[in-house]
């Protein structure tokens, strides 16, 4: 795992990025997300609800797992906080776009993206010159005035 832990303050954006090459790194990706959001709250004074903390770790786990499972080579995780939300972006070299299956309680497995879409405020998939980039957005707080 390679980490770029520089925090950008350009335009009030806080961010961190890391590359992951092995399936064992999925736990490290969750740890990075937890540590980053802990710093966002403790160092920068932005509220982060317990729900947001858990949701971001879940989203990171699902997206990095899919990248490691379905795409060759490393993946890049970027977490970016701006305007009261965190954008979780995962780039990988795979050319196939993810299959977002309709809800089916009888299906065993392959519910990861279905869950991510259900718990996030925004979800997007973008083709890149090499690979694809998936972004999921999670609000930092649970509602007006509440962390």
């Amino acid at each position: 795992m390679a980490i770029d832990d520089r925090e950008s303050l350009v335009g009030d954006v806080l961010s961190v990025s890391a590359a992951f090459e092995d399936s064992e790194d999925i736990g490290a990706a969750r740890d990075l997300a937890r540590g980053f959001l802990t710093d966002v709250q403790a160092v920068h004074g932005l509220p982060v609800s317990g729900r947001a903390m858990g949701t971001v770790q879940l989203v990171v786990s699902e997206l990095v797992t899919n990248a490691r499972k379905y795409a060759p080579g490393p993946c890049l995780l970027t977490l970016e906080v701006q305007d009261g939300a965190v954008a979780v972006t995962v780039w990988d070299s795979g050319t196939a776009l993810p299959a977002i299956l309709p809800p089916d309680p009888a299906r065993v497995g392959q519910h990861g993206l279905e869950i991510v879409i259900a718990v996030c405020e925004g979800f997007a998939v973008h083709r890149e010159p090499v690979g694809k980039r998936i972004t999921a957005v999670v609000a930092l707080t649970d509602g007006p005035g509440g962390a």
Side-chain angles (χ1 to χ4, degrees):
M1 169 182 69
I3 297 178
D4 176 4
D5 62 357
R6 294 173 293 159
E7 291 182 349
S8 168
L9 293 175
V10 177
D12 296 326
V13 175
L14 302 171
S15 67
V16 65
S17 295
F20 299 97
E21 296 194 38
D22 298 311
S23 295
E24 300 84 39
D25 286 342
I26 295 165
R30 284 190 303 269
D31 291 344
L32 177 68
R34 182 175 44 254
F36 175 67
L37 290 179
T38 297
D39 286 351
V40 163
Q41 189 165 19
V43 176
H44 300 284
L46 296 174
V48 177
S49 71
R51 179 212 45 84
M53 181 70 76
T55 300
V56 168
Q57 289 177 78
L58 170 72
V59 169
V60 164
S61 185
E62 289 295 335
L63 296 182
V64 171
T65 295
N66 285 350
R68 298 305 318 125
K69 186 174 181 180
Y70 298 112
C75 68
L76 177 65
L77 167 67
T78 301
L79 303 167
E80 184 175 275
V81 171
Q82 186 174 20
D83 299 327
V86 59
V88 177
T89 302
V90 174
W91 169 89
D92 67 53
S93 63
T95 57
L97 298 181
I100 302 169
L101 304 173
D104 179 359
R107 184 177 65 241
V108 177
Q110 297 186 333
H111 292 279
L113 285 180
E114 179 183 337
I115 293 167
V116 167
I117 291 168
V119 299
C120 292
E121 283 71 34
F123 181 84
V125 178
H126 300 278
R127 285 192 189 275
E128 297 291 334
V130 174
K132 66 186 164 300
R133 181 173 35 96
I134 298 174
T135 301
V137 178
V138 178
L140 290 176
T141 61
D142 296 341

